[in-house]
Amino acid sequence: MVIVRREGTLEPLVIQRDLQYQLTAGLFRHNDIIGKPFGCKMYSHNKKCTITILAPTPELWTLSLPHRTQILYASDISLVCLMLEISPGSVVVESGTGSGSLTHALARAVGETGEVHTHEFHKERCEAASTEFKSHGLDQIVTSYHKNVCLDGFAVQDKADAVFLDLPCPWDAIKHAVSAFSLDGGRICSFSPCIEQVQKACTALSEEGFEEIQTFEGIERQYQLSRKRIWEPFVGNQRHKKFRSDQRSGEKAGNGWLNAYVKGGPKKDGVGHTGYLTFATLPAKEFLTKELPKDEVEETIAE
């Protein structure tokens, strides 16, 4: 489960009998939490602090997971799942497991009838992610591989409906991604923080026969409401006592009224640039036509 402290901090918590969850202001006994419905608020043994119990979801896991790498957040994850056209029963191949933020969302999207094959070149991160997937009950959907796909390719061949790349050099893995796709082709996404990476990835996608290449940058912009008091001068019959008595929302201030208004506007601080998402479509392999490298094109023209 995921718990929310009074100050709004989210934290994952594994419940086990006879254990305790300790905070500075008080403690919570696991035995008291067992059997409580999700969404309820619980008081500590001394009634000085509270926690709220929430059911674990991919979105809450993204906000509370232990960071082993930089992760994708909900705004980018939602666009990835939409543009890759993932549905129950899909087979998705991921490279760059990292902290497993996206992997949890992919597992929910493909459902019990789908498959997620995720690759990580760092052994310790791969093992930690595999342990989390098993403890979260996803080991029947998610399969983890300790593999460098840029050099050795993917563990899945001729099976994937969608491929996601979160790599420093995605262009080295794109040629291997073609082999991972099923005979019907599919959709690919590459996440890169720098535009130079995007340029090289787009070139590699075009050379391998991918079509409909598009790049997006998602900027999250939250709005907030606030109250503001504005002075308005008396105009015309507003000076009359009867009119002033009808002004329930304001108060008299000299030759005018102070009225309270609610306004909305974007927050000054927030999440800025996270990365670029490049999407492309691989046609069915029987219709696949690869673009010749530049030097080969020049030789063909010369002949």
Side-chain angles (χ1 to χ4, degrees):
M1 66 173 57
V2 176
I3 62 171
V4 183
R5 299 181 188 176
R6 186 174 182 179
E7 66 273 15
T9 304
L10 276 71
E11 182 179 342
L13 180 65
V14 178
I15 300 299
Q16 299 180 30
R17 289 191 178 276
D18 301 326
L19 294 185
Q20 296 178 347
Y21 175 66
Q22 181 71 54
L23 292 176
T24 304
L27 64 85
F28 300 83
R29 297 181 177 90
H30 288 203
N31 292 348
D32 297 334
I33 299 176
I34 294 174
K36 291 293 190 295
F38 289 121
C40 74
K41 181 182 290 187
M42 292 195 61
Y43 286 88
S44 62
H45 73 294
N46 57 6
K47 309 297 183 182
K48 290 187 176 180
C49 61
T50 62
I51 60 172
T52 302
I53 304 170
L54 300 179
T57 64
E59 290 79 15
L60 290 177
W61 179 247
T62 293
L63 296 174
S64 60
L65 58 78
H67 285 236
R68 295 181 290 271
T69 59
Q70 292 293 324
I71 66 171
L72 268 70
Y73 288 93
S75 56
D76 288 330
I77 290 174
S78 59
L79 184 60
V80 169
C81 293
L82 173 68
M83 296 296 288
L84 288 183
E85 302 174 2
I86 300 173
S87 59
S90 296
V91 177
V92 182
V93 173
E94 177 191 19
S95 182
T97 308
S99 301
S101 173
L102 175 63
T103 314
H104 282 74
L106 295 177
R108 181 180 61 181
V110 302
E112 295 181 356
T113 58
E115 301 175 19
V116 177
H117 300 270
T118 182
H119 303 71
E120 174 63 50
F121 81 97
H122 192 277
K123 185 177 181 180
E124 285 74 19
R125 287 203 293 261
C126 180
E127 292 174 350
S130 298
T131 302
E132 289 175 351
F133 298 147
K134 186 174 182 179
S135 65
H136 297 167
L138 300 177
D139 52 319
Q140 298 299 316
I141 302 173
V142 179
T143 306
S144 299
Y145 304 91
H146 174 224
K147 198 175 181 69
N148 187 342
V149 299
C150 293
L151 298 177
D152 306 323
F154 294 90
V156 177
Q157 298 293 310
D158 299 324
K159 190 177 183 180
D161 300 308
V163 173
F164 178 82
L165 304 176
D166 184 2
L167 302 168
C169 305
W171 50 89
D172 290 334
I174 289 173
K175 58 184 178 182
H176 299 298
V178 176
S179 301
F181 277 105
S182 66
L183 298 179
D184 296 328
R187 295 277 288 168
I188 190 173
C189 174
S190 175
F191 176 84
S192 300
C194 301
I195 195 63
E196 292 81 6
Q197 294 171 300
V198 174
Q199 292 172 329
K200 296 186 71 172
C202 288
T203 300
L205 288 169
S206 180
E207 291 176 351
E208 292 297 331
F210 285 85
E211 301 175 354
E212 301 175 341
I213 303 173
Q214 296 175 296
T215 298
F216 297 88
E217 180 188 17
I219 301 295
E220 184 177 331
R221 196 177 187 192
Q222 294 185 0
Y223 275 67
Q224 64 181 358
L225 297 178
S226 60
R227 288 185 173 273
K228 187 173 183 180
R229 296 166 66 85
I230 301 178
W231 181 83
E232 296 180 355
F234 292 135
V235 178
N237 63 355
Q238 292 183 10
R239 288 183 174 275
H240 294 297
K241 183 177 181 181
K242 182 179 183 304
F243 183 89
R244 293 202 302 269
S245 65
D246 294 336
Q247 304 302 300
R248 304 298 184 188
S249 61
E251 60 182 68
K252 187 177 178 182
N255 293 323
W257 289 91
L258 277 176
N259 284 312
Y261 293 89
V262 177
K263 69 170 186 175
K267 287 185 176 180
K268 294 182 180 179
D269 57 338
V271 179
H273 170 77
T274 55
Y276 300 100
L277 293 166
T278 300
F279 298 92
T281 301
L282 183 73
K285 291 185 178 179
E286 60 179 311
F287 303 114
L288 188 61
T289 56
K290 295 186 178 182
E291 182 179 304
L292 290 174
K294 195 172 183 180
D295 53 350
E296 293 186 20
V297 172
E298 293 175 353
E299 292 178 5
T300 304
I301 295 174
E303 293 175 359

